[in-house]
Amino acid sequence: MRYRKFAPASHLAPYVECFYVWEGNPARSAVLQVESPPSGFASLTFNYGDAYRVSNPKGQQVLTPASFVSG
């Protein structure tokens, strides 16, 4: 798993805190649990790899779209 965080260009800084890239290993077969506590920030997600599933609060497995807004 590789995670890199980038500062925005100066003209975007008043509106954007950061950009980040999170790359996983596509050969990984084990379940990966990522906890994302509430932060009060919105995010735009663009997935350029295979679709993946997430668990919702009801315990259901939901297939994520290629891009989505969260927060």
Side-chain angles (χ1 to χ4, degrees):
M1 182 80 47
R2 189 171 105 166
Y3 173 85
R4 292 190 60 198
K5 189 173 180 177
F6 302 93
S10 60
H11 64 280
L12 293 176
Y15 313 103
V16 176
E17 180 179 323
C18 68
F19 297 98
Y20 69 91
V21 175
W22 187 7
E23 296 176 317
N25 182 351
R28 183 182 172 96
S29 60
V31 173
L32 175 65
Q33 182 173 342
V34 177
E35 304 224 2
S36 181
S39 66
F41 293 104
S43 65
L44 299 171
T45 301
F46 301 96
N47 179 16
Y48 297 110
D50 294 334
Y52 58 93
R53 296 185 180 278
V54 296
S55 295
N56 67 18
K58 295 179 181 179
Q60 301 165 320
Q61 295 288 312
V62 180
L63 191 63
T64 60
S67 58
F68 56 93
V69 177
S70 63

